[in-house]
Amino acid sequence: MSDVYRVSQDWARHAHVDAEKYAALYDAAASDPTGFWLDQAQRLDWIVPPTVADQSSFDEADFGVRWFADGRLNVAANCLDRHLASRGNDVALIWEPDAPEEEPKRFTYLELFQHVCRFANVLKAEGVAKGDRVTIYMPMIPEAAFAVLACARIGAIHSVVFGGFSPDALAGRIEDCDSRLVVTADCGRRGGKTIPLKANVDAAAERAPSLKRVIVVKATGADVPMTGRDVWYHEAAAQVSADCPAEPMDAEDPLFILYTSGSTGKPKGVLHSSGGYLLWASLTHHWCFDYRPGDVWWCAADIGWVTGHSYILYGPLANGATTLMYEGLPNWPDASRIWQVVDRHKVHTIFTAPTALRALMKEGDAFVAKTDRSSLKLLGTVGEPINPEAWRWYNDVVGEGRCPIVDTWWQTETGGAMIAPMPGATDLKPGSATKPLPGVHPQLVDETGKVLDGAVSGNLCITRSWPGQMRTVWGDHARFFQTYFTTYPGKYFTGDGCRRDEDGYYWITGRVDDVINVSGHRMGTAEVESALVLHAKVAEAAVVGMPHDVKGQGIYAYVTLNAGEAASEELRAELRQWVRTEIGPIATPDAIQFAPGLPKTRSGKIMRRILRKIAEGDVSSLGDTSTLADPSVVDDLVANRVG
Ligand code: 6R9
């Protein structure tokens, strides 16, 4: 039996949603979905309010995801303009620099609005128009937020690429969506280190012929060579006015593309809409985190990931929140840093990943205890299953038992939280994301697609659309259908395994496909394999996940060398570096095992099940190896396991 943490009376009394309202929301969503969603949609400011809600279908014949299709709005106006009259002088964005001795910056809603309008005019002056794709490759500085919201203001589609990705990975993403323009900075800073963003863009440009213009924000003042393709942001900004009307958009017009790893092929450009996405980001921020004006909200993600999109920018700003953006790392200069930032800005809610908590937990409680943290009232987590030990540490040591833990399960594809508690209404169980939010319809199925009822484990599907659902894979609608709707026809398949307990609580057990979750970041095993086989000495590679104390999962690579090549420690180091350069540091293999052969079926399919077991060190239960073309390769793999 797992522990149950009851909602405190204090929370239940003061929350936006208490147990009674929670039940009413569920009933309304179930009994009259159209009325429910049109009603919820009123939390946005529409130029033309929608009269239709869900028009989606998961069936092949009339497949598509569509919400609020006759509504018109502008996302940036919802995040900025509509707050000006009531809270123009309230702080919208707090920026905390990498180095603790530097001064933070604060922007009121009015100031943020002015910066965004000016940035939007710079983009327009460069010829960017509605529907054009703009790639944003930035450090965590305020200008990253300006650039994102500027795109939304003029109806350009932003594609934010995480600043830790390599020039190659960046080039692939620029080309895939045919971006003409990249916004970057001279350099970025993180944990005292410098990241050569502009130099990376220059390298990417050689492989990305669509790229014609680079807007460079002066962030660190590093000396970077400028070419005819480049313009300094501050110079361009001085030439334009700060007055920029917001472009009216259809609810279904695209807002952004965000590349994410899948089980096959190159990363997919997940496309999100304007109306449905913004509603979901805003509503889930309101429901799950019980935000109220004056609270300081801190989502400690990077804007290069969906969590940063939905919960640093769109959700909180749509709700008129004060959102904190932090340039650095949670544990630099030391493991107190994250809590010192909480104290410095009197943060009410912090939303972070289990991997960060595990890393901090390892350093000992003293780093936490010496900080005050009395401003905290809620603690959130996202990105991967949280182990009960980390959950309890977060609850007992960080929150001192005062702060509910809101564990949110969701995906880049879902736009916002899907299975998560509401702090005034949901009892908590450490390690469970609890229950689906109103209007979310999860279902567990077995391998054959049979629906499983009651307390059971299975593969997690969602049977009906929700407003924040992705609309397509950029440039490949067939791949969207194929990836998510064909494994279990008529349902959206999440790729996650999940257990439902006797109380109807959901416990995500992790990916059941060839995606691994490294420090809360998704990495496709196929991507790492493609990078490895590009190396001249590598014949074949197979990559699987392995358990890792801090990262949750680590990357374990089996590598077969070309005939005549010898395995060595130098080559191992070279291959690790190779993958870092090809994809980025987050893809660096934790273990590389040189193998004379890989376990394959007679039809040539690699038996990953066996490779996973060996990487996990679970060699006593390799299961049936009789279908292997050459069962003896397994003996060698077991004997030479790394770690
Ligand atoms: C938001 C985000 C999605 C994958 C998802 C699942 C895992 C996310 C989780 C969780 C257990 C949670 N995941 N949140 N697993 N509990 N609270 O992380 O998006 O980067 O697309 O990753 O992350 O496996 O399928 P994304």
Side-chain angles (χ1 to χ4, degrees), residues 382-385 407-412 496 508 511 517 522:
V382 57
E384 48 175 327
D407 175 4
T408 61
W409 173 84
W410 56 294
Q411 310 179 295
T412 305
D496 279 325
I508 306 295
R511 303 287 305 196
N517 192 325
R522 269 161 72 165

Side-chain angles (χ1 to χ4, degrees), residues 357-376:
L357 297 173
R358 287 191 297 264
L360 295 165
M361 191 166 79
K362 257 192 12 187
E363 302 298 321
D365 298 357
F367 285 105
V368 188
K370 71 178 187 197
T371 61
D372 177 47
R373 288 162 287 107
S374 59
S375 59
L376 285 174

Side-chain angles (χ1 to χ4, degrees), residues 255-273:
L255 177 63
F256 66 83
I257 300 167
L258 188 55
Y259 286 88
T260 192
S261 295
S263 47
T264 53
K266 57 186 173 100
K268 292 184 286 283
V270 167
L271 187 82
H272 278 290
S273 68

Side-chain angles (χ1 to χ4, degrees), residues 284-297:
T284 53
H285 177 254
H286 172 79
W287 276 344
C288 302
F289 303 111
D290 201 63
Y291 185 82
R292 56 199 64 234
D295 289 357
V296 175
W297 159 262

Side-chain angles (χ1 to χ4, degrees), residues 258-261 270 305-308 311 351 354 381-386 406-417 419-420 431-433 460 492 494-497 506-513 515-517 520-523:
L258 188 55
Y259 286 88
T260 192
S261 295
V270 167
W305 310 112
V306 72
T307 307
Y311 298 115
F351 186 35
T381 93
V382 57
E384 48 175 327
I386 181 164
V406 173
D407 175 4
T408 61
W409 173 84
W410 56 294
Q411 310 179 295
T412 305
E413 293 87 340
T414 71
I419 300 179
S432 168
L460 178 64
Y492 168 78
T494 63
D496 279 325
Y506 287 79
W507 302 73
I508 306 295
T509 49
R511 303 287 305 196
V512 295
D513 55 8
V515 172
I516 45 190
N517 192 325
H521 300 314
R522 269 161 72 165
M523 190 43 63

Side-chain angles (χ1 to χ4, degrees), residues 45 47 72-79 81 152-155 246-249 278:
D45 202 6
I47 300 165
R72 283 172 79 70
L73 80 172
N74 180 276
V75 167
N78 269 277
C79 292
D81 311 36
R153 190 160 196 88
I154 64 174
E247 183 77 29
M249 305 292 284
L278 187 67

